[in-house]
Amino acid sequence: MKLLDTTLKNKVLQSMMNIIDKKRDDIIAENKKDLEAFNRDDQALYDRLVVDQAKVDGMIQAIKEVKDQDDPVGNTISERILDSGLKIVNKTDPFGTIMIIYESRPDVTIEAAVLAFKANNKILLKGGKEANNSNKILETCWHEALEENGLDKDWIRLMHMNRDETQEFLRNPSEKLDLIVPRGGERLIEFVKTHAKCAVLISGRGNNFLYVSKHADWEKAKKVIINAKTDKISGCNALDKVLIDENISDFDNKVKDLHQTLENHKVKTIIDENLKSQLSDVEVAADENIWFEEFLAMKILLAKVSHLDEAISIINKYSGGHSSVIMTEDNEEAMAFMQQIDSAAVYQNASSRFTDGGQMGVGAELAISTDKLHHRGPLGLKQLVTNKYYVWGDGHIRQ
């Protein structure tokens, strides 16, 4: 993989910003074709598909943020000279070729590619068929920006394949793949994990939990729950399950108050069996499977727990390992929760909606990784490199 000069990479990104701005009406027109062909039964997927003027502005801003960041390639991680005189330097290095498979969101064609490109990787993009027209015009924009700066358009390429062809490509790739990042629902992730022959970095599902401790500030808890649930239902950082400690003061009335507040925000509530006496008219969860489900809808599950340890056990069993929240004014209790919860991001008294590269100060992100290798949490520019050891000797041999 040829290492590109930082200045050249930034020139490509500046060209891309100019081209998108110039072609914004054409991009929106192509997106309209996708929207008209889409079945709106899946509102969350439809919301992800939409490209409007604000979304185009967001694409341009995402490119600018990456352009303004330091180049992550070739930075020294460690350097030492051994007693033998052997010099060993560990530096950041590109992965090589990254394949990104994603559903619905055309802006991923910009945000994912710009990060991988600035980190000096070749990018293969496989978007969903529902965004075909949107992705094709954005690929054309990338190619124009690359060629305008004397680079081969193969640096960033959209894979024009159906599901069967994608499956075969994963099993028997016609070119070298170093990393695959699937962005989407559980079925997509399982599809990639099943068929891929190279490293897969999992951008996991949400199914995020919030525990209301007996030490919680109730009004604060309600505010956080409503934001985490309703701010963006299609986000992987949206809230799905709320566990309420039965030892909180005035438990019955607080459960009813939360249910009414959720209803006022048009959120459908489902409860576990243990809340039937407080919310007798509310639907009870049919079976255990719902605890594993990421809703991506205006729906939430409320449940009663007896203590902190029970909440931790439930969350670690059922959550997607993405984001988990405790509402408590007891800092020691919060730390115990945060240390024991197995999630990429853990919160005290804050909405799970902050699990986002931009919100966490990482900048534009490729995905939120729920893997523990090679990185966990927002995958920003600095996380899209691997490392390489450079060793200098003078006829050294191992004795």
Side-chain angles (χ1 to χ4, degrees):
M1 178 64 65
K2 179 183 178 183
L3 290 183
L4 301 178
D5 180 79
T6 304
T7 301
L8 177 57
K9 288 189 282 189
N10 286 341
K11 283 182 178 179
V12 172
L13 301 188
Q14 184 61 56
S15 294
M16 187 60 174
M17 291 162 63
N18 297 339
I19 291 164
I20 290 177
D21 192 31
K22 182 177 65 177
K23 294 188 175 182
R24 61 170 60 227
D25 291 338
D26 295 334
I27 293 167
I28 292 170
E30 290 301 306
N31 177 252
K32 187 177 178 182
K33 296 177 184 177
D34 293 327
L35 295 175
E36 289 172 347
F38 189 79
N39 183 342
R40 290 196 61 166
D41 288 347
D42 190 335
Q43 186 62 40
L45 207 58
Y46 182 86
D47 291 345
R48 291 173 175 172
L49 181 59
V50 174
V51 175
D52 52 18
Q53 293 290 347
K55 190 68 71 75
V56 175
D57 289 340
M59 293 177 185
I60 295 171
Q61 180 61 26
I63 299 171
K64 182 180 185 304
E65 288 176 3
V66 174
K67 175 178 173 287
D68 291 344
Q69 289 187 61
D70 292 338
D71 195 322
V73 178
N75 297 321
T76 298
I77 301 169
S78 64
E79 181 176 345
R80 61 176 59 89
I81 298 176
L82 304 184
D83 292 343
S84 65
L86 204 63
K87 181 179 179 181
I88 301 175
V89 179
N90 188 15
K91 292 187 176 185
T92 56
D93 207 56
F95 273 100
T97 299
I98 299 177
M99 183 177 187
I100 303 155
I101 306 178
Y102 52 104
E103 297 170 325
S104 188
R105 287 181 52 189
D107 45 331
V108 174
T109 308
I110 300 300
E111 294 170 7
V114 68
L115 286 162
F117 176 73
K118 179 76 180 261
N120 216 108
N121 298 290
K122 181 179 178 182
I123 304 102
L124 302 178
L125 298 163
K126 176 61 184 78
K129 62 181 184 298
E130 66 280 350
N132 187 51
N133 293 294
S134 307
N135 289 335
K136 281 165 65 175
I137 190 171
L138 292 172
E139 180 194 30
T140 300
C141 294
W142 273 121
H143 289 171
E144 188 175 328
L146 289 163
E147 291 182 324
E148 194 174 287
N149 290 277
L151 291 177
D152 194 302
K153 62 185 182 182
D154 277 355
W155 275 96
I156 301 172
R157 184 154 50 94
L158 190 67
M159 309 294 282
H160 302 277
M161 297 176 174
N162 61 30
R163 182 181 176 84
D164 290 340
E165 290 167 336
T166 302
Q167 181 175 312
E168 181 57 30
F169 181 80
L170 292 174
R171 284 176 176 158
N172 299 294
S174 55
E175 55 192 289
K176 187 175 184 290
L177 293 179
D178 296 286
L179 179 69
I180 300 177
V181 182
R183 289 189 53 160
E186 202 165 0
R187 284 189 301 172
L188 171 65
I189 292 167
E190 285 303 315
F191 174 83
V192 175
K193 285 170 65 177
T194 299
H195 300 293
K197 299 291 187 181
C198 70
V200 178
L201 204 158
I202 301 302
S203 170
R205 63 191 177 92
N207 192 27
N208 302 310
F209 281 67
L210 180 147
Y211 167 55
V212 182
S213 159
K214 65 181 180 181
H215 302 298
D217 177 314
W218 183 248
E219 292 303 316
K220 193 183 292 183
K222 284 199 301 178
K223 181 175 72 171
V224 169
I225 289 167
I226 294 303
N227 176 262
K229 177 68 264 180
T230 67
D231 182 59
K232 185 180 180 183
I233 62 170
S234 62
C236 60
N237 52 19
L239 181 63
D240 291 305
K241 314 292 189 308
V242 175
L243 309 177
I244 308 171
D245 195 307
E246 65 180 355
N247 299 300
I248 194 169
S249 63
D250 200 16
F251 174 79
D252 288 5
N253 286 327
K254 281 178 176 167
V255 170
K256 293 172 183 176
D257 178 36
L258 177 57
H259 174 244
Q260 186 59 56
T261 303
L262 289 163
E263 277 204 334
N264 293 343
H265 285 83
K266 303 187 183 332
V267 179
K268 178 183 178 182
T269 302
I270 300 169
I271 60 172
D272 74 339
E273 291 258 349
N274 294 326
L275 284 180
K276 284 171 67 176
S277 60
Q278 288 80 24
L279 301 172
S280 57
D281 296 332
V282 178
E283 178 185 342
V284 176
D287 56 50
E288 187 183 20
N289 290 332
I290 198 168
W291 285 89
F292 293 100
E293 186 179 342
E294 179 185 25
F295 293 145
L296 299 175
M298 291 287 273
K299 181 167 72 171
I300 200 164
L301 173 62
L302 305 184
K304 178 171 72 173
V305 293
S306 301
H307 45 72
L308 174 68
D309 289 343
E310 183 183 4
I312 291 170
S313 177
I314 290 171
I315 294 169
N316 284 340
K317 179 177 180 179
Y318 295 110
S319 85
H322 190 292
S323 302
S324 299
V325 181
I326 182 172
M327 299 301 302
T328 182
E329 299 304 304
D330 183 329
N331 292 335
E332 288 187 10
E333 180 186 45
M335 184 55 68
F337 175 91
M338 296 165 86
Q339 288 176 336
Q340 294 177 58
I341 288 293
D342 190 15
S343 293
V346 288
Y347 293 85
Q348 177 187 8
N349 297 338
S351 171
S352 58
R353 288 283 293 127
F354 286 104
T355 309
D356 171 272
Q359 295 294 320
M360 287 185 155
V362 175
E365 72 186 36
L366 177 61
I368 303 292
S369 169
T370 53
D371 267 355
K372 297 181 183 180
L373 295 173
H374 110 111
H375 177 78
R376 200 180 195 189
L379 286 167
L381 184 59
K382 291 181 179 179
Q383 288 75 46
L384 285 179
V385 290
T386 181
N387 67 295
K388 182 190 292 185
Y389 282 90
Y390 292 72
V391 183
W392 286 272
D394 185 21
H396 282 69
I397 59 172
R398 182 168 174 173
Q399 299 297 328

